[in-house]
Amino acid sequence: MDNSQWIICPVCGNKTRDRIKKDTVLKNYPLYCPKCKQETLIEAKNLHITVIKEPDALDAEPMNL
Ligand SMILES: [Zn+2]
């Protein structure tokens, strides 16, 4: 029994090439959609996908280690 499922692109609603399983946990995962060619940051837990909206400036170099 295969309990994995394809991740649906939150932008266009098409299937991506990524799959998650029931116990898959993703955090800050750059989901790439081959259909609309966009990358979306997502989180996934218990087959539930959450889109992360982050400010662009967040990728700037860190000030502390
Ligand atoms: Zn898409």
Side-chain angles (χ1 to χ4, degrees), residues 23-51:
D23 54 355
T24 300
V25 177
L26 294 176
K27 193 175 181 188
N28 267 334
Y29 182 75
L31 174 73
Y32 177 73
C33 171
K35 184 91 174 173
C36 59
K37 296 179 169 48
Q38 295 218 43
E39 229 178 55
T40 313
L41 274 183
I42 61 161
E43 284 184 3
K45 202 178 180 186
N46 298 322
L47 291 179
H48 182 73
I49 307 289
T50 309
V51 178

